[in-house]
Amino acid sequence: MTATQTRGDQQATAARDRGMSSAAWRALGTSVQLVVGDPEQLPAARAAVARVLDEVDRAASRFRDDSELRRLSPGRWNPISPVLHRYLSAALAAAQDTDGLVDPTVGNALVDLGYDRTFRLVTEDGPAITVAMRPAPGWQSVLLEPDRVLVPEGILLDLGATAKGLAADIAAEQAAAVAGSVLVSLGGDIAVAGDCPPGGWPILITDNADPDLIADGGQVILLPEGGLATSGTSARRWQRGGQLIHHLIDPRSGTPTSGPWQTASVAAYSCLDANIASTAAVVLGNDAASWLRQRSLSAILTRADGSWITTGGWPPRETS
């Protein structure tokens, strides 16, 4: 099978079984998996994906001192590239569409919690910290025009909830232009493009988006088009003073979300849309299922005890 959260050797075997070819590497601080329908075009497809990921890293990374995002001067208008404009526009649109549940102005909250560098460099444990209940400044304060942006003083942008999904969509589209049938996975967030395999792409859904931390057998679904994303609190977490902290911030409080959902996996028209919805669902908590149903989105919401609910056309998961 092709999987959102599986190890590279498993994916390679699945690709060969279907007459496809695959590659796995790391970029943007996460795992990258590429599957193509035309094995001869794998090198060209990989090069296309790598270009997209390098482009977004240079433009929108919060962890690179030389990224375009980090070089923005606060409190004044800054000229920006079309690439950064595209990623900023996606982040602000997500905030508007979710009524602020997904908000790029949570950067300072993440830094205060210790997530101030690429995650592999974040220390797993450390001294206790005081977590302040302080709402995010709000996406409305960021002013974006076609060729420039103004970020107010004191605001640090984090595009993590949207940039990876958008990058997966763009990478899949560009790779499909040379390789036909393509699947791109960035840390378990998937975009597919080109010709779909018969029945759809088999995708393994687990309760952990980190391919090195899979704890259960998961569920296999078929994805015919668009994208799929998983957000949750079981990966990208660390401790401070014995307190467990994770990276999903509720912009309404400026603190890590504390709702019932350990993970939310959503299928949508694009990986970007799926990523936005899965993040919003975890942040929203108890009202997530009705919110997803109102938007006709297929999803599975999983609690820490392993129980779950589904929405839309998501296939029921068998009880073990």
Side-chain angles (χ1 to χ4, degrees):
M1 73 188 67
T2 299
T4 67
Q5 300 108 350
T6 190
R7 300 178 190 277
D9 55 350
Q10 291 173 306
Q11 175 157 337
T13 299
R16 286 194 298 270
D17 290 345
R18 283 177 161 246
M20 296 182 172
S21 191
S22 68
W25 68 100
R26 292 191 66 85
L28 306 182
T30 193
S31 59
V32 182
Q33 296 180 345
L34 167 67
V35 180
V36 300
D38 184 350
E40 292 185 359
Q41 296 303 322
L42 179 62
R46 176 169 177 161
V49 172
R51 283 194 299 270
V52 172
L53 302 187
D54 180 66
E55 193 174 61
V56 63
D57 195 36
R58 292 176 180 275
S61 173
R62 179 167 66 87
F63 307 116
R64 289 182 57 152
D65 290 337
D66 63 343
S67 75
E68 192 177 355
L69 181 71
R70 286 288 303 274
R71 295 199 314 267
L72 294 177
S73 297
R76 69 177 182 85
W77 287 100
N78 291 260
I80 55 174
S81 68
V83 174
L84 182 57
H85 181 274
R86 186 171 187 178
Y87 284 92
L88 287 173
S89 180
L92 296 177
Q96 182 176 19
D97 292 345
T98 62
D99 294 322
L101 293 172
V102 179
D103 191 316
T105 65
V106 297
N108 282 320
L110 288 166
V111 170
D112 291 345
L113 293 169
Y115 194 3
D116 57 353
R117 63 203 69 190
T118 188
F119 188 74
R120 283 202 161 187
L121 300 179
V122 174
T123 54
E124 294 183 5
D125 204 348
I129 59 175
T130 300
V131 180
M133 295 279 291
R134 185 174 62 246
W139 61 275
Q140 301 94 331
S141 61
V142 179
L143 305 180
L144 180 64
E145 294 185 354
D147 59 354
R148 62 178 188 165
V149 66
L150 189 154
V151 181
E153 295 273 359
I155 290 182
L156 177 63
L157 296 179
D158 178 83
L159 307 186
T162 53
K164 188 170 64 168
L166 179 56
D169 289 328
I170 297 172
E173 180 182 353
Q174 295 195 10
V178 296
S181 182
V182 167
L183 178 147
V184 173
S185 172
L186 301 182
D189 291 346
I190 285 181
V192 299
D195 298 329
C196 177
W201 291 92
I203 307 295
L204 173 64
I205 308 297
T206 78
D207 293 341
N208 197 309
D210 190 324
D212 295 325
L213 297 174
I214 297 174
D216 64 6
Q219 176 191 21
V220 176
I221 69 166
L222 296 175
L223 183 69
E225 61 183 355
L228 184 145
T230 297
S231 297
T233 62
S234 57
R236 293 185 184 269
R237 56 184 181 177
W238 58 100
Q239 292 190 95
R240 292 294 180 266
Q243 178 185 7
L244 190 63
I245 299 171
H246 61 79
H247 74 296
L248 281 184
I249 301 298
D250 186 338
R252 299 167 297 186
S253 66
T255 61
T257 60
S258 57
W261 310 120
Q262 178 168 282
T263 59
S265 294
V266 180
Y269 290 114
S270 69
C271 186
L272 172 61
D273 290 341
N275 209 323
I276 293 168
S278 62
T279 302
V282 176
V283 172
L284 194 55
N286 289 320
D287 295 327
S290 60
W291 187 89
L292 291 163
R293 291 184 182 115
Q294 288 170 7
R295 288 156 179 78
S296 300
L297 289 169
S298 297
I300 182 168
L301 306 172
T302 306
R303 301 179 184 90
D305 65 3
S307 62
W308 64 86
I309 61 174
T310 61
T311 68
W314 194 278
R317 181 173 175 176
E318 294 182 2
T319 303
S320 58

